[in-house]
Amino acid sequence: MRLIHGTPHFRPYTSAAGGWGSAHSVMNILWREQAFIKGSAALIKQNKPKGFACVSCAWAKPGDPHALEFCENGAKATAWELTSLRTGPEFFQSHSVTELRGWTDFDLEQHGRLTHPMRYDTQSDRYVKTTWDEAAAAIGAQLKALSPDEVVFYASGRASLETSFMYQLFARAYGTNNLPDSSNMCHESTSVGLQESIGVPVGTVTLADFEHTDCILFFGQNVGSNSPRMLHPLQEVRKRKVPIITFNPIRERGLERFVNPQSPVEMLGPKSTAISTQYHQVAIGGDTAAIMGVAKALLEMEARAQACGGPAVLDHDFLAQHTEGFPHFVEQVQRYSWDDLEQRSGLTRSAMEATATIYARSEKVMIVYGMGMTQHRHGVGNVQMLVNLLLLRGNIGKPGAGICPVRGHSNVQGQRTVGITEDPAKVPTDKLEALFGFTVPERKGLTTVDTCEGILDGSVKGFIGLGGNFLRAVPDTTRMEPAWARLRLNVQIATKLNRTHLIPGEHTWLLPCLGRIEIDRQLGVEQAYTTEDSTGCIRAWRGNAEPASDQLRSETTIIAELANAALGDSVGVPWLRWRHDYALIREAISKVYPEIFHDFEARMWEPGGFHRPLGATHRQWATPCAKARFITPETLDEDDDVSKGETGRNVLQLMTLRSNDQFNTTVYGYDDRFRGVKGTRKVVFLNRNDIVRLGFAPGAWVRLRTAIEPEVRREVGPFQIIAYDIPEGCAASYYPESNPLVPLWHYAKRSKVPAAKSVPVIVLHAQPDADDLDHAVPDTDQIM
Ligand SMILES: Nc1nc2c(c(=O)[nH]1)N[C@H]1C(S)=C(S)[C@@H](COP(=O)(O)OP(=O)(O)OC[C@H]3O[C@@H](n4cnc5c(=O)[nH]c(N)nc54)[C@H](O)[C@@H]3O)O[C@H]1N2
Ligand SMILES: Nc1nc2c(c(=O)[nH]1)N[C@H]1C(S)=C(S)[C@@H](COP(=O)(O)OP(=O)(O)OC[C@H]3O[C@@H](n4cnc5c(=O)[nH]c(N)nc54)[C@H](O)[C@@H]3O)O[C@H]1N2
Ligand SMILES: [Mo]
């Protein structure tokens, strides 16, 4: 079943990000989801005090919001949740699970919101209606029969602080630290890297810093699609003539030009704002070398300044007083010749010097970054190199400066703050034990990659998913699916049907929950809940739309009831009472984390919320040496995997990306407007010289095969080649379609984030599937 498409085509996108294209795209999805009236009413309250928090990304919302405080993709996420379409018991009666496995990600979710609790029935191969009581009792009994270390409690990053706190308490009271989450595939390289370097696991920049900064460096983050509300502060910054220097293998539209779709003047006039003042198309995985190059240029400038008695380029006072490891960093930088650095980064010496010149001239520099840095074998090293660059001129711990990881899911940072982590050393276990009268298990739990390994080897037998689409988001999906089917217990708390729900285990339950935009009434009282954004800002929200079905329960209620069924009153957590009044959960949170959450109930309603305290923002470094640390990678070329497989010039580095029409595994449509792609996702972007050199032509159908560990066949396709402005030796295709290419073991050292941005691949000739021919693209040669 295919619901949309139109004729696919590729045409270079020449307009700015935002603008009429964005407005048009929002109208389209509101109509398609039949959510025009409900959706439009909701959008007015999006990201407003007493309104609801956008369910899309984690970018900060201002305390004094604009009249319409949402972006194109936030509006799509709202329409997606408020859709009038439903996936109820009749739907499951008409479609077997085997049949549904043949549906696309788009078609599955497009069918609308789940409405009833469902149980998988093996005999009929269908989901059948069940009751909440039956589900809770059966799941509770299964959990009692399994040993705690065999069960995994996964969290995608949307659930509120209240739900997340309760969820980790449930897992730990049950007896395990198996609490993997989506950040294990995302910004874990940040949590590990920043903690080691500056003593905090999160970014130091707040929205206010954008008002003071005088230079922004932007690495590997696609702001136009993935955090478009940030385009507003960026536009303000550009109006002050502040330089923005971007490092990205491809020229992302949102990083080039922007028209604010909410400004009538800009929409009707010819003007757009140029975002990046320098744009460096670094090779995939070449950032460490590029930053080394910038540092090398700075050291050379410093030497010249010293020789002629000019003002210092580096902040020597800061380096002496606040840092450790600077001499070793200098040694390492000096080890590399400009030739080495040019070759590894794919940039010219003059590009790196041009960055250094602006950097040296600026007093308050911030660095913004995303998955282009963290999802590499050397993801942690990448993050630490960004810190090293900032430390050279004291750019952490003063207004307008700092490090700014752009988080993904809207509460992914917050769920970690309240204890969702596999590492018990990161939670105040003494407080949990004193308050709730149970012993927190000492053994470290499983991360996402560990969980996959456990599923493959059979040691993980039970899985509870608090949101997400685990089996589609993880690496090596072709290997994972058959193993997943051996799970004894599979419980999925979700809003829409996705592929993870369609590989049932022995006992499988699909539990539909309220979305964040919906009113959550408990004993007649509308509940509020809280989230933490990418800038460490915590605030309260309330849903404002009527629920999609009267059968839906809040995530908090569902967890309380499962915990009660599995544990009863064997621990001192009043699960059932908490379910009815979320203020009680907040009270518990503030007892466990008083430094962050004191006076929680009052402060959460402050306009703009409140910030969690972060030592690094006032130069108190919670590292073992009480200083900020230069941590320098020992080599530029840490990704030595290529030597383990195919070698030579036919191996390309593949990055797996999001289109402008998806939220992770949720596919809103088949267009990637800013990259000029319409009507298809089955494409691979290649440099024209590589296409010719490898004996292909634009528009050719190919398969991609992983070029490491050749004994395991990892392949995807057929995809069509698009000739694109991407560095030679690099390739790009869409996530999650290309996840089967990422070997499970191919993850960032130390953080275990799958290296989804550097997969060595080779390209093979292929025939299109019959179905694909209907959607073949006539004009693939036209792009860029
Ligand atoms: N609309 C929408 N919003 C989202 C999401 C979504 O899917 N849709 N997902 C959310 C989530 S969970 C997350 S984590 C974020 C993800 O947001 P991003 O961090 O922007 O993630 P990606 O789309 O994977 O894009 C990574 C960017 O890094 C670049 N890149 C890739 N490899 C390299 C490299 O080696 N070096 C450099 N310098 N750049 C590189 C790519 O060209 C691309 O521009 O967005 C969140 N927001
Ligand atoms: N190859 C490759 N793989 C990647 C990435 C990549 O760039 N490349 N990115 C990685 C990243 S950064 C991330 S964060 C992960 C994402 O991994 P996940 O967080 O596991 O996946 P999502 O696609 O965000 O989950 C979508 C599902 O969440 C459910 N859902 C939506 N809203 C709610 C809600 O309010 N409550 C509940 N209970 N359920 C809800 C819906 O059923 C929907 O189908 O993927 C990772 N995988
Ligand atoms: Mo993410």
PDB file of all heavy atoms in Angstrom, residues 510-534:
ATOM      1  N   LEU A 510       1.320  -4.395  22.959  1.00  0.00           N
ATOM      2  CA  LEU A 510       1.419  -3.065  22.367  1.00  0.00           C
ATOM      3  C   LEU A 510       0.508  -2.151  23.179  1.00  0.00           C
ATOM      4  O   LEU A 510      -0.719  -2.317  23.170  1.00  0.00           O
ATOM      5  CB  LEU A 510       0.964  -3.164  20.905  1.00  0.00           C
ATOM      6  CG  LEU A 510       1.099  -1.960  20.003  1.00  0.00           C
ATOM      7  CD1 LEU A 510       2.469  -1.328  20.117  1.00  0.00           C
ATOM      8  CD2 LEU A 510       0.860  -2.395  18.550  1.00  0.00           C
ATOM      9  N   LEU A 511       1.129  -1.231  23.920  1.00  0.00           N
ATOM     10  CA  LEU A 511       0.364  -0.415  24.867  1.00  0.00           C
ATOM     11  C   LEU A 511       0.337   1.042  24.398  1.00  0.00           C
ATOM     12  O   LEU A 511       1.377   1.709  24.391  1.00  0.00           O
ATOM     13  CB  LEU A 511       0.992  -0.519  26.259  1.00  0.00           C
ATOM     14  CG  LEU A 511       1.181  -1.958  26.778  1.00  0.00           C
ATOM     15  CD1 LEU A 511       1.840  -1.953  28.156  1.00  0.00           C
ATOM     16  CD2 LEU A 511      -0.163  -2.709  26.833  1.00  0.00           C
ATOM     17  N   PRO A 512      -0.825   1.538  23.984  1.00  0.00           N
ATOM     18  CA  PRO A 512      -0.882   2.890  23.421  1.00  0.00           C
ATOM     19  C   PRO A 512      -0.976   3.946  24.515  1.00  0.00           C
ATOM     20  O   PRO A 512      -1.710   3.786  25.491  1.00  0.00           O
ATOM     21  CB  PRO A 512      -2.187   2.851  22.617  1.00  0.00           C
ATOM     22  CG  PRO A 512      -3.061   1.921  23.384  1.00  0.00           C
ATOM     23  CD  PRO A 512      -2.153   0.893  24.020  1.00  0.00           C
ATOM     24  N   CYS A 513      -0.217   5.019  24.324  1.00  0.00           N
ATOM     25  CA  CYS A 513      -0.200   6.043  25.380  1.00  0.00           C
ATOM     26  C   CYS A 513      -0.635   7.394  24.833  1.00  0.00           C
ATOM     27  O   CYS A 513      -0.669   7.612  23.621  1.00  0.00           O
ATOM     28  CB  CYS A 513       1.195   6.147  25.983  1.00  0.00           C
ATOM     29  SG  CYS A 513       2.434   6.651  24.806  1.00  0.00           S
ATOM     30  N   LEU A 514      -0.922   8.295  25.749  1.00  0.00           N
ATOM     31  CA  LEU A 514      -1.212   9.686  25.398  1.00  0.00           C
ATOM     32  C   LEU A 514       0.037  10.310  24.809  1.00  0.00           C
ATOM     33  O   LEU A 514       1.147  10.017  25.245  1.00  0.00           O
ATOM     34  CB  LEU A 514      -1.551  10.489  26.664  1.00  0.00           C
ATOM     35  CG  LEU A 514      -2.865  10.232  27.367  1.00  0.00           C
ATOM     36  CD1 LEU A 514      -2.899  11.052  28.661  1.00  0.00           C
ATOM     37  CD2 LEU A 514      -4.035  10.624  26.464  1.00  0.00           C
ATOM     38  N   GLY A 515      -0.142  11.184  23.840  1.00  0.00           N
ATOM     39  CA  GLY A 515       0.985  11.977  23.365  1.00  0.00           C
ATOM     40  C   GLY A 515       1.110  13.208  24.242  1.00  0.00           C
ATOM     41  O   GLY A 515       0.215  13.533  25.027  1.00  0.00           O
ATOM     42  N   ARG A 516       2.200  13.913  24.073  1.00  0.00           N
ATOM     43  CA  ARG A 516       2.473  15.042  24.950  1.00  0.00           C
ATOM     44  C   ARG A 516       1.493  16.202  24.753  1.00  0.00           C
ATOM     45  O   ARG A 516       1.279  16.997  25.656  1.00  0.00           O
ATOM     46  CB  ARG A 516       3.886  15.532  24.683  1.00  0.00           C
ATOM     47  CG  ARG A 516       4.227  16.699  25.514  1.00  0.00           C
ATOM     48  CD  ARG A 516       5.618  17.156  25.277  1.00  0.00           C
ATOM     49  NE  ARG A 516       6.585  16.127  25.597  1.00  0.00           N
ATOM     50  CZ  ARG A 516       7.848  16.213  25.231  1.00  0.00           C
ATOM     51  NH1 ARG A 516       8.262  17.241  24.540  1.00  0.00           N
ATOM     52  NH2 ARG A 516       8.704  15.274  25.554  1.00  0.00           N
ATOM     53  N   ILE A 517       0.922  16.281  23.560  1.00  0.00           N
ATOM     54  CA  ILE A 517       0.050  17.419  23.272  1.00  0.00           C
ATOM     55  C   ILE A 517      -1.333  17.193  23.864  1.00  0.00           C
ATOM     56  O   ILE A 517      -2.157  18.088  23.928  1.00  0.00           O
ATOM     57  CB  ILE A 517      -0.035  17.625  21.746  1.00  0.00           C
ATOM     58  CG1 ILE A 517       1.376  17.667  21.164  1.00  0.00           C
ATOM     59  CG2 ILE A 517      -0.783  18.891  21.381  1.00  0.00           C
ATOM     60  CD1 ILE A 517       1.431  17.657  19.654  1.00  0.00           C
ATOM     61  N   GLU A 518      -1.588  15.978  24.299  1.00  0.00           N
ATOM     62  CA  GLU A 518      -2.943  15.661  24.777  1.00  0.00           C
ATOM     63  C   GLU A 518      -3.117  15.952  26.268  1.00  0.00           C
ATOM     64  O   GLU A 518      -2.168  15.837  27.050  1.00  0.00           O
ATOM     65  CB  GLU A 518      -3.232  14.189  24.469  1.00  0.00           C
ATOM     66  CG  GLU A 518      -3.392  14.005  22.967  1.00  0.00           C
ATOM     67  CD  GLU A 518      -3.360  12.562  22.527  1.00  0.00           C
ATOM     68  OE1 GLU A 518      -2.661  11.746  23.138  1.00  0.00           O
ATOM     69  OE2 GLU A 518      -4.048  12.245  21.553  1.00  0.00           O
ATOM     70  N   ILE A 519      -4.363  16.281  26.621  1.00  0.00           N
ATOM     71  CA  ILE A 519      -4.664  16.599  28.016  1.00  0.00           C
ATOM     72  C   ILE A 519      -4.585  15.313  28.833  1.00  0.00           C
ATOM     73  O   ILE A 519      -5.134  14.280  28.453  1.00  0.00           O
ATOM     74  CB  ILE A 519      -6.081  17.192  28.129  1.00  0.00           C
ATOM     75  CG1 ILE A 519      -6.159  18.470  27.301  1.00  0.00           C
ATOM     76  CG2 ILE A 519      -6.462  17.443  29.585  1.00  0.00           C
ATOM     77  CD1 ILE A 519      -7.563  19.003  27.104  1.00  0.00           C
ATOM     78  N   ASP A 520      -3.849  15.398  29.931  1.00  0.00           N
ATOM     79  CA  ASP A 520      -3.660  14.229  30.797  1.00  0.00           C
ATOM     80  C   ASP A 520      -4.440  14.491  32.092  1.00  0.00           C
ATOM     81  O   ASP A 520      -3.966  15.217  32.968  1.00  0.00           O
ATOM     82  CB  ASP A 520      -2.152  14.084  31.055  1.00  0.00           C
ATOM     83  CG  ASP A 520      -1.820  12.875  31.903  1.00  0.00           C
ATOM     84  OD1 ASP A 520      -2.750  12.239  32.437  1.00  0.00           O
ATOM     85  OD2 ASP A 520      -0.619  12.573  32.035  1.00  0.00           O
ATOM     86  N   ARG A 521      -5.652  13.933  32.172  1.00  0.00           N
ATOM     87  CA  ARG A 521      -6.485  14.155  33.359  1.00  0.00           C
ATOM     88  C   ARG A 521      -6.348  12.965  34.291  1.00  0.00           C
ATOM     89  O   ARG A 521      -6.552  11.824  33.877  1.00  0.00           O
ATOM     90  CB  ARG A 521      -7.960  14.277  32.984  1.00  0.00           C
ATOM     91  CG  ARG A 521      -8.319  15.566  32.315  1.00  0.00           C
ATOM     92  CD  ARG A 521      -9.830  15.713  32.145  1.00  0.00           C
ATOM     93  NE  ARG A 521     -10.100  16.818  31.246  1.00  0.00           N
ATOM     94  CZ  ARG A 521     -10.151  16.709  29.911  1.00  0.00           C
ATOM     95  NH1 ARG A 521     -10.001  15.520  29.340  1.00  0.00           N
ATOM     96  NH2 ARG A 521     -10.378  17.763  29.165  1.00  0.00           N
ATOM     97  N   GLN A 522      -6.029  13.240  35.536  1.00  0.00           N
ATOM     98  CA  GLN A 522      -5.979  12.173  36.536  1.00  0.00           C
ATOM     99  C   GLN A 522      -6.938  12.557  37.645  1.00  0.00           C
ATOM    100  O   GLN A 522      -6.798  13.628  38.235  1.00  0.00           O
ATOM    101  CB  GLN A 522      -4.549  12.008  37.074  1.00  0.00           C
ATOM    102  CG  GLN A 522      -3.523  11.667  35.997  1.00  0.00           C
ATOM    103  CD  GLN A 522      -3.753  10.297  35.358  1.00  0.00           C
ATOM    104  OE1 GLN A 522      -4.381   9.398  35.927  1.00  0.00           O
ATOM    105  NE2 GLN A 522      -3.248  10.121  34.134  1.00  0.00           N
ATOM    106  N   LEU A 523      -7.913  11.701  37.913  1.00  0.00           N
ATOM    107  CA  LEU A 523      -8.978  11.987  38.888  1.00  0.00           C
ATOM    108  C   LEU A 523      -9.560  13.382  38.616  1.00  0.00           C
ATOM    109  O   LEU A 523      -9.746  14.185  39.526  1.00  0.00           O
ATOM    110  CB  LEU A 523      -8.455  11.898  40.321  1.00  0.00           C
ATOM    111  CG  LEU A 523      -7.819  10.564  40.729  1.00  0.00           C
ATOM    112  CD1 LEU A 523      -7.300  10.616  42.169  1.00  0.00           C
ATOM    113  CD2 LEU A 523      -8.813   9.407  40.580  1.00  0.00           C
ATOM    114  N   GLY A 524      -9.752  13.675  37.342  1.00  0.00           N
ATOM    115  CA  GLY A 524     -10.390  14.934  36.949  1.00  0.00           C
ATOM    116  C   GLY A 524      -9.469  16.142  36.928  1.00  0.00           C
ATOM    117  O   GLY A 524      -9.868  17.219  36.510  1.00  0.00           O
ATOM    118  N   VAL A 525      -8.215  15.989  37.366  1.00  0.00           N
ATOM    119  CA  VAL A 525      -7.308  17.147  37.408  1.00  0.00           C
ATOM    120  C   VAL A 525      -6.313  17.059  36.250  1.00  0.00           C
ATOM    121  O   VAL A 525      -5.683  16.017  36.040  1.00  0.00           O
ATOM    122  CB  VAL A 525      -6.529  17.174  38.749  1.00  0.00           C
ATOM    123  CG1 VAL A 525      -5.588  18.376  38.793  1.00  0.00           C
ATOM    124  CG2 VAL A 525      -7.505  17.193  39.913  1.00  0.00           C
ATOM    125  N   GLU A 526      -6.181  18.166  35.498  1.00  0.00           N
ATOM    126  CA  GLU A 526      -5.224  18.168  34.392  1.00  0.00           C
ATOM    127  C   GLU A 526      -3.803  18.244  34.937  1.00  0.00           C
ATOM    128  O   GLU A 526      -3.485  19.132  35.717  1.00  0.00           O
ATOM    129  CB  GLU A 526      -5.498  19.366  33.461  1.00  0.00           C
ATOM    130  CG  GLU A 526      -6.776  19.179  32.672  1.00  0.00           C
ATOM    131  CD  GLU A 526      -7.027  20.290  31.660  1.00  0.00           C
ATOM    132  OE1 GLU A 526      -6.080  21.013  31.313  1.00  0.00           O
ATOM    133  OE2 GLU A 526      -8.197  20.416  31.238  1.00  0.00           O
ATOM    134  N   GLN A 527      -2.974  17.309  34.510  1.00  0.00           N
ATOM    135  CA  GLN A 527      -1.619  17.228  35.044  1.00  0.00           C
ATOM    136  C   GLN A 527      -0.638  18.031  34.190  1.00  0.00           C
ATOM    137  O   GLN A 527      -0.794  18.131  32.979  1.00  0.00           O
ATOM    138  CB  GLN A 527      -1.159  15.760  35.070  1.00  0.00           C
ATOM    139  CG  GLN A 527      -2.031  14.857  35.909  1.00  0.00           C
ATOM    140  CD  GLN A 527      -1.932  15.170  37.398  1.00  0.00           C
ATOM    141  OE1 GLN A 527      -0.850  15.349  37.943  1.00  0.00           O
ATOM    142  NE2 GLN A 527      -3.088  15.255  38.054  1.00  0.00           N
ATOM    143  N   ALA A 528       0.370  18.563  34.867  1.00  0.00           N
ATOM    144  CA  ALA A 528       1.485  19.191  34.161  1.00  0.00           C
ATOM    145  C   ALA A 528       2.670  18.231  34.234  1.00  0.00           C
ATOM    146  O   ALA A 528       2.670  17.308  35.061  1.00  0.00           O
ATOM    147  CB  ALA A 528       1.845  20.504  34.827  1.00  0.00           C
ATOM    148  N   TYR A 529       3.646  18.448  33.378  1.00  0.00           N
ATOM    149  CA  TYR A 529       4.861  17.632  33.434  1.00  0.00           C
ATOM    150  C   TYR A 529       6.015  18.515  33.001  1.00  0.00           C
ATOM    151  O   TYR A 529       5.814  19.656  32.558  1.00  0.00           O
ATOM    152  CB  TYR A 529       4.739  16.401  32.534  1.00  0.00           C
ATOM    153  CG  TYR A 529       4.477  16.800  31.120  1.00  0.00           C
ATOM    154  CD1 TYR A 529       5.531  17.143  30.297  1.00  0.00           C
ATOM    155  CD2 TYR A 529       3.181  16.936  30.647  1.00  0.00           C
ATOM    156  CE1 TYR A 529       5.303  17.606  29.027  1.00  0.00           C
ATOM    157  CE2 TYR A 529       2.941  17.396  29.370  1.00  0.00           C
ATOM    158  CZ  TYR A 529       4.012  17.738  28.571  1.00  0.00           C
ATOM    159  OH  TYR A 529       3.792  18.226  27.333  1.00  0.00           O
ATOM    160  N   THR A 530       7.231  17.998  33.132  1.00  0.00           N
ATOM    161  CA  THR A 530       8.402  18.836  32.870  1.00  0.00           C
ATOM    162  C   THR A 530       9.395  18.148  31.928  1.00  0.00           C
ATOM    163  O   THR A 530       9.418  16.922  31.822  1.00  0.00           O
ATOM    164  CB  THR A 530       9.135  19.154  34.191  1.00  0.00           C
ATOM    165  OG1 THR A 530       9.351  17.913  34.875  1.00  0.00           O
ATOM    166  CG2 THR A 530       8.330  20.075  35.072  1.00  0.00           C
ATOM    167  N   THR A 531      10.206  18.982  31.255  1.00  0.00           N
ATOM    168  CA  THR A 531      11.263  18.480  30.373  1.00  0.00           C
ATOM    169  C   THR A 531      12.494  19.374  30.515  1.00  0.00           C
ATOM    170  O   THR A 531      12.394  20.498  31.005  1.00  0.00           O
ATOM    171  CB  THR A 531      10.834  18.529  28.893  1.00  0.00           C
ATOM    172  OG1 THR A 531      10.428  19.867  28.584  1.00  0.00           O
ATOM    173  CG2 THR A 531       9.689  17.581  28.581  1.00  0.00           C
ATOM    174  N   GLU A 532      13.634  18.859  30.065  1.00  0.00           N
ATOM    175  CA  GLU A 532      14.874  19.650  30.042  1.00  0.00           C
ATOM    176  C   GLU A 532      15.371  19.733  28.601  1.00  0.00           C
ATOM    177  O   GLU A 532      15.453  18.717  27.918  1.00  0.00           O
ATOM    178  CB  GLU A 532      15.951  18.965  30.911  1.00  0.00           C
ATOM    179  CG  GLU A 532      17.310  19.641  30.829  1.00  0.00           C
ATOM    180  CD  GLU A 532      18.416  18.926  31.631  1.00  0.00           C
ATOM    181  OE1 GLU A 532      18.111  18.183  32.584  1.00  0.00           O
ATOM    182  OE2 GLU A 532      19.587  19.110  31.265  1.00  0.00           O
ATOM    183  N   ASP A 533      15.706  20.938  28.144  1.00  0.00           N
ATOM    184  CA  ASP A 533      16.145  21.071  26.750  1.00  0.00           C
ATOM    185  C   ASP A 533      17.660  20.966  26.625  1.00  0.00           C
ATOM    186  O   ASP A 533      18.371  20.726  27.597  1.00  0.00           O
ATOM    187  CB  ASP A 533      15.578  22.351  26.132  1.00  0.00           C
ATOM    188  CG  ASP A 533      16.128  23.616  26.773  1.00  0.00           C
ATOM    189  OD1 ASP A 533      17.304  23.612  27.203  1.00  0.00           O
ATOM    190  OD2 ASP A 533      15.384  24.621  26.844  1.00  0.00           O
ATOM    191  N   SER A 534      18.140  21.198  25.406  1.00  0.00           N
ATOM    192  CA  SER A 534      19.572  21.095  25.079  1.00  0.00           C
ATOM    193  C   SER A 534      20.449  22.071  25.845  1.00  0.00           C
ATOM    194  O   SER A 534      21.658  21.915  25.859  1.00  0.00           O
ATOM    195  CB  SER A 534      19.745  21.466  23.601  1.00  0.00           C
ATOM    196  OG  SER A 534      19.989  20.375  22.820  1.00  0.00           O
TER     197      SER A 534
END
